[in-house]
Amino acid sequence: MTDKPKVRIRSASATHSLIAGTIAGTVEGAVTYPTELIKTKMQLQGSQQYIAQGGHVYKGPIDCATTTFKTQGIRGLYRGLAPMLMGNAAKAGVRFLTYDTVKAQLRDADGKLTMPRMMVAGLCAGVIEGGTVVAPSETIKTRLIHDQCMPRPRYRGTADCVRTAVRSEGLAGIYRGVAAVMARQGANSCVRFAAYDTLKQLVVGGSAADAQNIPFAYSFGLGMAAGVITVYATMPFDVVKTRMQSLSAKQEYRNSLHCGWRVASGEGVAALWKGATPRLSRLMFSGAIVFAVYEEAMKALR
């Protein structure tokens, strides 16, 4: 008799997590996409093939943004948005669903959750979203942005990019760099969720009622702080992921480890943090937006 209500509650909670996460991912992706585009362009331009192909070299993030706007207009700053937006909505839904589900299983008898267990739950969420959703959407987004930087772009749009990749490389073409994606997403979610939930406990207290009714300003600020921590802790994973999904990755790198070694040895260790400034601006606000919208959506759904 007592088991049935528990199952119902968990099912409703899982549904709510999925819906709220999807809403949060859509809003966050649409608002912060230009910073993602700039970050990706900055990361791509260090490879030898990029330079050999005549890719445009930018002096910095501001030069990248202004040049893109001057030469391609406002639409240029949203090149590759479609796959990113669809992927962002899906990955956020999967991420929050997985995290909340695993977190519920890892709570102790008193309902409390230690930081190491938060990190495990976040790691699981990141790895699952990375392997199922993020890898293909990020590959297409990265290729569209890379193509945009070439003297003679060859893709007519998202659908053409997908068709070309599948035709020439098979389905594996849109899952290129999946190991790097899973590593980055696992690290991102591990750090971000643990940081957010730990700060949340410190600010609003450990009770479930306090956590569920956190004010918008608090969740926005805590999400921003978690984003800052995440950027500097996981930047190398992001650089390797971007390089592994570039148009020239097949010719330059054998695998993700080889890619990381090539970047560090050929361009210096600091190159593993290339693109940190635009990524910081994105993850600060994406963390703030996604957690604040998620918390508000969950309040509405309860």
Side-chain angles (χ1 to χ4, degrees), residues 18-181:
L18 181 62
I19 294 171
T22 301
I23 294 170
T26 302
V27 174
E28 179 265 324
V31 172
T32 64
Y33 185 74
T35 58
E36 174 69 16
L37 178 135
I38 293 165
K39 178 218 72 173
T40 303
K41 285 190 173 187
M42 293 299 298
Q43 291 175 339
L44 287 170
Q45 66 181 22
S47 74
Q48 296 175 358
Q49 284 290 323
Y50 180 92
I51 296 170
Q53 292 168 353
H56 189 91
V57 177
Y58 304 100
K59 295 189 285 286
I62 295 176
D63 178 53
C64 179
T66 55
T67 301
T68 300
F69 180 74
K70 286 177 182 176
T71 57
Q72 300 166 38
I74 192 68
R75 291 183 65 182
L77 291 171
Y78 286 89
R79 173 81 167 175
L81 174 64
M84 175 67 172
L85 201 57
M86 290 185 287
N88 222 51
K91 79 179 181 182
V94 171
R95 181 196 310 147
F96 278 100
L97 169 62
T98 305
Y99 180 69
D100 287 345
T101 301
V102 175
K103 188 169 69 170
Q105 299 300 316
L106 294 178
R107 290 187 184 279
D108 61 21
D110 297 322
K112 295 180 180 179
L113 198 68
T114 62
M115 182 182 282
R117 292 190 178 193
M118 291 177 193
M119 295 179 74
V120 170
L123 179 65
C124 291
V127 169
I128 291 173
E129 67 165 314
T132 57
V133 179
V134 182
S137 64
E138 289 265 333
T139 297
I140 299 304
K141 178 216 71 177
T142 300
R143 291 191 177 197
L144 284 168
I145 294 173
H146 191 165
D147 185 59
Q148 182 189 53
C149 298
M150 295 295 106
R152 290 184 295 277
R154 62 181 181 178
Y155 298 131
R156 293 188 299 275
T158 302
D160 183 48
C161 181
V162 173
R163 280 195 301 269
T164 302
V166 173
R167 190 183 303 121
S168 60
E169 303 173 57
L171 283 176
I174 60 173
Y175 276 90
R176 185 166 301 284
V178 64
V181 173

Side-chain angles (χ1 to χ4, degrees), residues 195-230:
Y196 178 79
D197 273 349
T198 300
L199 292 171
K200 184 177 174 181
Q201 287 181 1
L202 291 173
V203 172
V204 302
S207 75
D210 289 336
Q212 288 180 356
N213 294 300
I214 182 171
F216 179 87
Y218 284 19
S219 58
F220 192 89
L222 295 179
M224 185 174 284
V228 174
I229 296 168
T230 303

